Every structure is written in C-alpha cells, then in structure tokens.
Short mmCIF file of all heavy atoms in Angstrom, two decimals:
data_model
loop_
_atom_site.label_atom_id
_atom_site.label_comp_id
_atom_site.label_asym_id
_atom_site.label_seq_id
_atom_site.Cartn_x
_atom_site.Cartn_y
_atom_site.Cartn_z
N ILE A 6 61.80 192.68 26.18
CA ILE A 6 61.39 192.18 24.89
C ILE A 6 59.88 192.63 24.61
O ILE A 6 59.09 192.58 25.61
CB ILE A 6 61.59 190.71 24.69
CG1 ILE A 6 61.37 190.28 23.26
CG2 ILE A 6 60.70 189.95 25.60
CD1 ILE A 6 61.99 188.88 23.02
N GLU A 7 59.57 193.04 23.41
CA GLU A 7 58.21 193.41 23.12
C GLU A 7 57.42 192.20 22.74
O GLU A 7 57.87 191.29 22.09
CB GLU A 7 58.20 194.35 21.86
CG GLU A 7 58.82 195.70 22.21
CD GLU A 7 58.11 196.55 23.20
OE1 GLU A 7 56.90 196.49 23.26
OE2 GLU A 7 58.79 197.21 24.00
N LEU A 8 56.14 192.21 23.21
CA LEU A 8 55.26 191.09 22.96
C LEU A 8 55.08 190.82 21.38
O LEU A 8 55.11 189.75 21.03
CB LEU A 8 53.88 191.42 23.51
CG LEU A 8 52.78 190.39 23.39
CD1 LEU A 8 53.18 189.11 24.16
CD2 LEU A 8 51.42 190.82 23.85
N ASN A 9 55.10 191.96 20.60
CA ASN A 9 54.95 191.83 19.17
C ASN A 9 56.12 191.13 18.43
O ASN A 9 56.03 190.76 17.43
CB ASN A 9 54.69 193.21 18.50
CG ASN A 9 53.36 193.83 18.97
OD1 ASN A 9 52.44 193.12 19.38
ND2 ASN A 9 53.32 195.08 18.92
N ASP A 10 57.27 191.07 19.17
CA ASP A 10 58.41 190.43 18.59
C ASP A 10 58.43 188.94 18.78
O ASP A 10 59.39 188.26 18.28
CB ASP A 10 59.75 191.05 19.24
CG ASP A 10 59.98 192.49 18.95
OD1 ASP A 10 59.40 192.89 17.88
OD2 ASP A 10 60.66 193.16 19.66
N LEU A 11 57.49 188.46 19.44
CA LEU A 11 57.41 186.99 19.74
C LEU A 11 56.64 186.28 18.73
O LEU A 11 55.66 186.86 18.09
CB LEU A 11 56.85 186.71 21.17
CG LEU A 11 57.66 187.33 22.31
CD1 LEU A 11 56.86 187.22 23.58
CD2 LEU A 11 59.02 186.66 22.42
N PRO A 12 56.82 184.95 18.49
CA PRO A 12 55.90 184.14 17.60
C PRO A 12 54.47 184.20 18.16
O PRO A 12 54.29 184.39 19.37
CB PRO A 12 56.51 182.75 17.73
CG PRO A 12 57.88 182.92 18.22
CD PRO A 12 57.87 184.15 19.10
N GLU A 13 53.54 184.10 17.26
CA GLU A 13 52.09 184.21 17.68
C GLU A 13 51.69 183.28 18.77
O GLU A 13 50.97 183.60 19.73
CB GLU A 13 51.24 183.90 16.41
CG GLU A 13 51.16 185.10 15.52
CD GLU A 13 50.10 184.86 14.40
OE1 GLU A 13 49.10 184.23 14.64
OE2 GLU A 13 50.47 185.34 13.31
N GLU A 14 52.20 182.01 18.73
CA GLU A 14 51.75 181.07 19.84
C GLU A 14 52.30 181.47 21.15
O GLU A 14 51.68 181.22 22.19
CB GLU A 14 52.19 179.63 19.50
CG GLU A 14 53.75 179.39 19.41
CD GLU A 14 54.28 179.60 18.01
OE1 GLU A 14 53.58 180.01 17.10
OE2 GLU A 14 55.45 179.30 17.85
N VAL A 15 53.50 182.17 21.26
CA VAL A 15 53.99 182.57 22.48
C VAL A 15 53.35 183.88 22.92
O VAL A 15 53.02 184.07 24.08
CB VAL A 15 55.59 182.83 22.34
CG1 VAL A 15 56.10 183.46 23.63
CG2 VAL A 15 56.30 181.63 21.95
N GLN A 16 52.94 184.72 21.90
CA GLN A 16 52.12 185.92 22.28
C GLN A 16 50.84 185.55 23.01
O GLN A 16 50.46 186.17 23.95
CB GLN A 16 51.80 186.69 20.96
CG GLN A 16 52.96 187.42 20.43
CD GLN A 16 52.61 188.25 19.25
OE1 GLN A 16 51.42 188.66 19.05
NE2 GLN A 16 53.54 188.46 18.35
N GLU A 17 50.20 184.51 22.56
CA GLU A 17 48.91 184.08 23.11
C GLU A 17 49.14 183.66 24.59
O GLU A 17 48.27 183.92 25.43
CB GLU A 17 48.33 182.94 22.30
CG GLU A 17 47.83 183.36 20.92
CD GLU A 17 47.47 182.21 20.04
OE1 GLU A 17 47.41 181.03 20.57
OE2 GLU A 17 47.16 182.53 18.88
N GLN A 18 50.25 183.02 24.87
CA GLN A 18 50.60 182.53 26.23
C GLN A 18 50.94 183.68 27.13
O GLN A 18 50.82 183.54 28.36
CB GLN A 18 51.63 181.52 26.19
CG GLN A 18 51.22 180.19 25.46
CD GLN A 18 52.38 179.25 25.27
OE1 GLN A 18 53.42 179.29 26.00
NE2 GLN A 18 52.26 178.29 24.38
N ALA A 19 51.50 184.74 26.59
CA ALA A 19 52.10 185.80 27.34
C ALA A 19 51.17 187.00 27.34
O ALA A 19 51.66 188.19 27.79
CB ALA A 19 53.43 186.18 26.78
N MET A 20 49.94 186.89 27.15
CA MET A 20 49.06 188.03 26.99
C MET A 20 48.93 188.83 28.34
O MET A 20 48.72 190.04 28.31
CB MET A 20 47.69 187.70 26.48
CG MET A 20 47.67 187.28 25.10
SD MET A 20 48.16 188.62 24.00
CE MET A 20 46.61 189.46 23.75
N ASP A 21 49.01 188.21 29.46
CA ASP A 21 48.89 188.83 30.78
C ASP A 21 50.18 189.47 31.24
O ASP A 21 50.15 190.12 32.22
CB ASP A 21 48.33 187.87 31.76
CG ASP A 21 46.93 187.36 31.46
OD1 ASP A 21 46.18 188.16 30.81
OD2 ASP A 21 46.58 186.27 31.89
N ALA A 22 51.26 189.18 30.60
CA ALA A 22 52.57 189.69 31.04
C ALA A 22 52.58 191.20 30.81
O ALA A 22 52.18 191.73 29.89
CB ALA A 22 53.65 188.97 30.27
N LYS A 23 53.16 191.89 31.80
CA LYS A 23 53.21 193.34 31.77
C LYS A 23 54.62 193.90 31.35
O LYS A 23 54.79 194.90 30.82
CB LYS A 23 52.77 193.89 33.04
CG LYS A 23 51.40 193.42 33.51
CD LYS A 23 50.73 194.52 34.28
CE LYS A 23 49.35 194.10 34.88
NZ LYS A 23 48.55 193.25 34.10
N ASP A 24 55.64 193.06 31.68
CA ASP A 24 57.01 193.50 31.54
C ASP A 24 57.84 192.26 31.08
O ASP A 24 58.56 191.66 31.86
CB ASP A 24 57.48 194.06 32.92
CG ASP A 24 58.96 194.56 32.78
OD1 ASP A 24 59.37 194.98 31.73
OD2 ASP A 24 59.61 194.59 33.84
N LEU A 25 57.75 191.93 29.85
CA LEU A 25 58.43 190.74 29.31
C LEU A 25 59.92 191.00 29.32
O LEU A 25 60.38 191.98 28.83
CB LEU A 25 57.94 190.36 27.91
CG LEU A 25 56.57 189.65 27.83
CD1 LEU A 25 56.16 189.43 26.40
CD2 LEU A 25 56.70 188.27 28.53
N VAL A 26 60.72 189.98 29.79
CA VAL A 26 62.02 190.01 29.78
C VAL A 26 62.68 188.69 29.34
O VAL A 26 62.20 187.60 29.69
CB VAL A 26 62.65 190.32 31.26
CG1 VAL A 26 64.13 190.39 31.29
CG2 VAL A 26 62.00 191.63 31.74
N ALA A 27 63.63 188.73 28.41
CA ALA A 27 64.26 187.53 27.90
C ALA A 27 65.62 187.36 28.62
O ALA A 27 66.34 188.36 28.87
CB ALA A 27 64.45 187.69 26.39
N VAL A 28 65.96 186.14 28.84
CA VAL A 28 67.27 185.74 29.44
C VAL A 28 68.03 184.95 28.32
O VAL A 28 67.60 183.97 27.83
CB VAL A 28 67.08 184.88 30.68
CG1 VAL A 28 68.46 184.51 31.27
CG2 VAL A 28 66.19 185.60 31.65
N HIS A 29 69.23 185.47 27.95
CA HIS A 29 70.02 184.85 26.92
C HIS A 29 71.40 184.49 27.44
O HIS A 29 71.98 185.14 28.35
CB HIS A 29 70.34 185.89 25.70
CG HIS A 29 69.05 186.31 25.09
ND1 HIS A 29 68.61 185.68 23.93
CD2 HIS A 29 68.11 187.24 25.29
CE1 HIS A 29 67.48 186.23 23.57
NE2 HIS A 29 67.15 187.20 24.38
N ASN A 30 71.92 183.39 26.87
CA ASN A 30 73.37 183.02 27.26
C ASN A 30 74.28 183.85 26.42
O ASN A 30 73.96 184.64 25.58
CB ASN A 30 73.58 181.52 27.07
CG ASN A 30 73.48 180.93 25.67
OD1 ASN A 30 73.47 181.75 24.72
ND2 ASN A 30 73.34 179.70 25.51
N SER A 31 75.60 183.56 26.56
CA SER A 31 76.61 184.36 25.90
C SER A 31 76.62 184.17 24.39
O SER A 31 77.21 184.92 23.61
CB SER A 31 77.98 184.13 26.44
OG SER A 31 78.26 182.68 26.30
N ASP A 32 75.98 183.03 23.89
CA ASP A 32 75.89 182.80 22.48
C ASP A 32 74.60 183.37 21.84
O ASP A 32 74.42 183.25 20.65
CB ASP A 32 75.92 181.30 22.21
CG ASP A 32 77.19 180.58 22.58
OD1 ASP A 32 78.23 181.24 22.44
OD2 ASP A 32 77.19 179.44 22.99
N GLY A 33 73.82 184.07 22.67
CA GLY A 33 72.68 184.69 22.13
C GLY A 33 71.40 183.86 22.22
O GLY A 33 70.31 184.20 21.81
N GLU A 34 71.58 182.63 22.64
CA GLU A 34 70.36 181.65 22.76
C GLU A 34 69.45 182.09 23.88
O GLU A 34 69.92 182.36 25.00
CB GLU A 34 70.87 180.23 23.03
CG GLU A 34 69.87 179.22 23.20
CD GLU A 34 70.37 177.88 23.52
OE1 GLU A 34 71.64 177.70 23.80
OE2 GLU A 34 69.53 176.90 23.60
N GLN A 35 68.23 182.20 23.60
CA GLN A 35 67.17 182.53 24.60
C GLN A 35 67.01 181.34 25.51
O GLN A 35 66.60 180.23 25.05
CB GLN A 35 65.90 183.00 24.00
CG GLN A 35 64.91 183.40 25.02
CD GLN A 35 63.68 183.99 24.40
OE1 GLN A 35 63.77 184.85 23.57
NE2 GLN A 35 62.50 183.48 24.79
N LEU A 36 67.21 181.55 26.83
CA LEU A 36 67.06 180.51 27.85
C LEU A 36 65.72 180.53 28.54
O LEU A 36 65.19 179.51 28.94
CB LEU A 36 68.22 180.63 28.84
CG LEU A 36 69.63 180.51 28.32
CD1 LEU A 36 70.58 180.76 29.43
CD2 LEU A 36 69.89 179.23 27.62
N ALA A 37 65.25 181.78 28.66
CA ALA A 37 63.97 181.94 29.36
C ALA A 37 63.25 183.21 28.92
O ALA A 37 63.91 184.18 28.44
CB ALA A 37 64.20 181.96 30.87
N LEU A 38 61.94 183.24 29.16
CA LEU A 38 61.09 184.44 28.90
C LEU A 38 60.26 184.58 30.15
O LEU A 38 59.47 183.66 30.48
CB LEU A 38 60.28 184.28 27.68
CG LEU A 38 59.44 185.45 27.22
CD1 LEU A 38 60.31 186.60 26.89
CD2 LEU A 38 58.59 184.97 26.02
N VAL A 39 60.40 185.63 30.84
CA VAL A 39 59.63 185.85 32.15
C VAL A 39 58.97 187.15 32.18
O VAL A 39 59.26 188.08 31.40
CB VAL A 39 60.60 185.59 33.34
CG1 VAL A 39 61.16 184.21 33.40
CG2 VAL A 39 61.68 186.65 33.36
N ASP A 40 58.02 187.33 33.19
CA ASP A 40 57.39 188.56 33.33
C ASP A 40 58.06 189.37 34.44
O ASP A 40 57.86 189.11 35.66
CB ASP A 40 55.88 188.26 33.69
CG ASP A 40 55.04 189.60 33.77
OD1 ASP A 40 55.56 190.63 33.29
OD2 ASP A 40 53.92 189.51 34.22
N GLY A 41 58.97 190.22 34.13
CA GLY A 41 59.57 191.15 35.07
C GLY A 41 61.07 190.95 35.21
O GLY A 41 61.57 189.82 35.21
N ARG A 42 61.77 192.05 35.22
CA ARG A 42 63.22 192.00 35.37
C ARG A 42 63.69 191.39 36.68
O ARG A 42 64.62 190.62 36.69
CB ARG A 42 63.74 193.49 35.22
CG ARG A 42 65.18 193.68 35.17
CD ARG A 42 65.53 195.15 35.01
NE ARG A 42 66.92 195.35 35.03
CZ ARG A 42 67.71 195.59 36.11
NH1 ARG A 42 67.03 195.61 37.26
NH2 ARG A 42 68.96 195.83 36.06
N ARG A 43 63.02 191.70 37.72
CA ARG A 43 63.35 191.13 39.08
C ARG A 43 63.35 189.61 39.00
O ARG A 43 64.23 188.91 39.48
CB ARG A 43 62.39 191.70 40.12
CG ARG A 43 62.81 191.24 41.51
CD ARG A 43 61.95 191.96 42.56
NE ARG A 43 62.26 191.54 43.90
CZ ARG A 43 61.81 190.56 44.55
NH1 ARG A 43 60.78 189.84 44.02
NH2 ARG A 43 62.20 190.34 45.79
N LEU A 44 62.32 189.04 38.47
CA LEU A 44 62.15 187.61 38.28
C LEU A 44 63.26 187.01 37.43
O LEU A 44 63.79 185.96 37.77
CB LEU A 44 60.79 187.19 37.73
CG LEU A 44 60.51 185.69 37.65
CD1 LEU A 44 60.67 185.02 38.93
CD2 LEU A 44 59.12 185.49 37.01
N ALA A 45 63.65 187.72 36.39
CA ALA A 45 64.79 187.23 35.55
C ALA A 45 66.08 187.07 36.31
O ALA A 45 66.86 186.13 36.19
CB ALA A 45 64.89 188.17 34.33
N PHE A 46 66.37 188.09 37.12
CA PHE A 46 67.55 188.13 37.91
C PHE A 46 67.53 186.97 38.97
O PHE A 46 68.54 186.26 39.22
CB PHE A 46 67.78 189.56 38.59
CG PHE A 46 68.51 190.47 37.75
CD1 PHE A 46 67.88 191.09 36.59
CD2 PHE A 46 69.86 190.75 37.98
CE1 PHE A 46 68.60 191.97 35.86
CE2 PHE A 46 70.58 191.63 37.21
CZ PHE A 46 69.94 192.23 36.06
N ILE A 47 66.37 186.79 39.64
CA ILE A 47 66.25 185.77 40.70
C ILE A 47 66.46 184.42 40.00
O ILE A 47 67.20 183.56 40.43
CB ILE A 47 64.89 185.84 41.34
CG1 ILE A 47 64.79 187.10 42.19
CG2 ILE A 47 64.63 184.56 42.14
CD1 ILE A 47 63.45 187.42 42.76
N LEU A 48 65.88 184.25 38.85
CA LEU A 48 65.95 182.94 38.15
C LEU A 48 67.35 182.65 37.78
O LEU A 48 67.85 181.52 37.94
CB LEU A 48 65.04 182.99 36.88
CG LEU A 48 65.12 181.83 35.91
CD1 LEU A 48 64.40 180.60 36.54
CD2 LEU A 48 64.38 182.14 34.65
N ALA A 49 68.09 183.63 37.22
CA ALA A 49 69.49 183.46 36.85
C ALA A 49 70.30 183.12 38.01
O ALA A 49 71.06 182.17 37.96
CB ALA A 49 69.98 184.73 36.16
#
C-alpha cells in the first residue's frame, strides 16, 4: 500500500515505514497495516 493512499493521520504515524503492507480479510476489511511483507506474513 502506498503512503499517499492512507488518511492523513495514519500517514503521520507511518512516516518512518519503508514498505507498507496491508492485511485484509476475505471481505476486504483491513485488519492490519505493517512495515514489511515478512512481518505481515508472521503476524497472520
């Protein structure tokens, strides 16, 4: 996910993130936003 696609308040919190990745359920609901694909897989 691109930083610019996020709401402003989330962008401010994620400024240090280098590789933003979103985790969604089968209904498309975003469950998490993490820095890095590897972390997303571990979290899941």
